[in-house]
Amino acid sequence: MRTSRWTALAVLASSLLMTILDGSIVTVAMPAIQADLGFTPAGLSWVVNAYLIAFGALLLLSGRLGDLLGRKRMFLAGTGVFTAASVLAGFAASPGVLIAARFLQGVGSAMASAVGLGILVTLFTEPRERAKAIAVFSFTGAVGASLGQVLGGLLTDALTWHWIFFINLPIGAAALLVALPALPADRPAAAQGGADVLGALLVTSGLTTGIYAVVKIEEYGASSAHTLGLGALALALLAGFLVRQATAAHPLMPLRVLRSRAVAGANLVQMLMVAALFSFQILVALYLQKVRGYGAAETGLAMLPAAAVIGAVSLGLSTRLIARFGERNVLLTGLVLLVGVLGLLTRLPVHASYAVDLLPVMLLAAGFGLALPALTALGMSGAKEEDAGLASGLFNTTQQIGMAVGIAVLSTLAAARTESLTAAGRPVAEALTRGYHLAFAVGAGLLVAAFAVAFTLLRTPKPARRERPEAAEVTMAA
């Protein structure tokens, strides 16, 4: 049984690697995709947006359906859909086919990712083993994010952009073959009265509308009628969903999940942290390419030390620190290091030396290797077994919302600052760098807010002191 559980963890980690790898590998290949398929600049954004909208909107629904229909079944179906869609994307010869394939990749990724953590926490119930399993899971995600940039550059330069999608085929096929015997056959939760169809429609449409509004901020502006109107509609739909969940006999998302301070607080911290760290993962890569003139492969290699330290800390150190000091203290330490990362980046010069100006930043990124495993453990700690898929879907949903907000807000701020400086006659490289500085500063502010939320909401309650029986007898006698 012990070997089977760790084999199952390897399957779950492989699926996560495939998903994260796909998300980061595409960003490096975007110029080649645009040149080959003839995308317009606005159309090219849908290579990312189509995936992001489908993925973010369906995570919560997929997580709950995993609880009701079986998490193993949902994981296998999602991995199959993602793998098939990757093959379709690799063979795409027109913008429409590629965007459709990316949307299907988002659907499959949501189905598999939503239940991954739910399966993990039901397999590993002993605290130390669960912490180790979550550390492996977090390590895989961190490595995938950085490895994707390296592989994206190498595959695009050495072969063609088509291979950034074909690489998912062997990973997905292997994951399916091993998952069939390795993943436990879970018993679906009782779904008396059927699934909450109205709740599913409200939450899916609300998340779709909200994420669409956010990813289009750069095109329409944050204060435009388009953004404000869709944002208001999304909020109304999500408010309707919460009302429905409070009154439905068999809700899609029982609100008891949100009564846990650990679950609610961890999800809020994650949203802020992921939004802030977009400025590290993406904007540093843009700085290296647009300001320093790095190629795609060079950019990936320059980011590799960050992946190495994140992986080493999350896999080798975080478990021991969590066991000794607790998830909250490790999370707070990680957030402090990450504030330092973005703080240093606000002083990044135009003609930066990699060894002096960038390598220390990459090494401080170890804070992510501390923060993510601790945050994941906190986010899943308050969920009952029958709600594990839902809690997993919720945790992944807030991650995607944070990413969408980070992409929209920070890139818009950077672009606006760059445009104003260019119009004032500043050199392009200086204007770009100062635009990135603004995004890094706002990201640092989001991390400070995440620290405040974690410090306030994720306090470990002190156990009530119990008097010794002898002392109680003395008191009563007195």
Side-chain angles (χ1 to χ4, degrees), residues 274-284 342 345 406 410 439-440 443-444:
V274 171
L277 291 178
F278 160 78
S279 62
F280 172 76
Q281 182 180 349
I282 305 299
L283 295 186
V284 169
L342 296 189
L345 287 172
L410 298 182
F440 295 142

Side-chain angles (χ1 to χ4, degrees), residues 6 13 28 34 102 123 197 210 212 231 247 289 293 305 362 387 390 420:
W6 291 102
V28 179
Q34 182 177 18
R102 290 289 289 161
L123 282 172
V197 176
Y212 175 79
T247 58
Q289 293 186 55
M362 300 297 170
D387 296 326
L390 173 61
S420 66

Side-chain angles (χ1 to χ4, degrees), residues 29-39 44 89-95 98 160-162:
M30 295 280 272
I33 292 173
Q34 182 177 18
D36 189 29
L37 297 185
F39 272 100
L44 185 64
F91 282 114
S94 67
L98 182 57
T160 66
W161 64 265
H162 300 272

Side-chain angles (χ1 to χ4, degrees), residues 191-342:
Q192 299 174 350
D196 180 14
V197 176
L198 178 58
L201 290 174
L202 286 169
V203 71
T204 303
S205 58
L207 288 171
T208 301
T209 304
I211 294 172
Y212 175 79
V214 167
V215 299
K216 300 299 284 183
I217 284 177
E218 188 171 2
E219 180 178 343
Y220 289 96
S223 58
S224 67
H226 180 276
T227 300
L228 295 178
L230 287 179
L233 177 59
L235 290 175
L237 289 168
L238 293 175
F241 169 70
L242 291 176
V243 171
R244 170 67 180 175
Q245 300 316 288
T247 58
H250 305 287
L252 181 72
M253 186 183 82
L255 296 183
R256 64 175 179 268
V257 175
L258 298 178
R259 294 193 189 109
S260 166
R261 287 178 60 176
V263 172
N267 277 279
L268 181 54
V269 170
Q270 177 177 231
M271 196 182 304
L272 293 166
M273 184 177 78
V274 171
L277 291 178
F278 160 78
S279 62
F280 172 76
Q281 182 180 349
I282 305 299
L283 295 186
V284 169
L286 288 175
Y287 165 83
L288 290 171
Q289 293 186 55
K290 292 187 174 184
V291 177
R292 300 297 299 134
Y294 283 35
E298 286 179 295
T299 299
L301 292 171
M303 302 287 286
L304 200 55
V309 295
I310 291 170
V313 170
S314 62
L315 194 59
L317 187 61
S318 65
T319 303
R320 292 196 292 272
L321 292 177
I322 288 171
R324 182 170 181 180
F325 299 107
E327 291 94 345
R328 175 178 177 268
N329 290 329
V330 173
L331 170 61
L332 293 175
T333 303
L335 288 172
V336 168
L337 292 176
L338 293 174
V339 170
V341 167
L342 296 189

Side-chain angles (χ1 to χ4, degrees), residues 27 58 113-114 148 183 223 312 403 413 426 443:
T27 59
L58 294 174
S113 300
L183 294 184
S223 58
M403 186 183 301
L413 289 172
R426 308 306 300 175

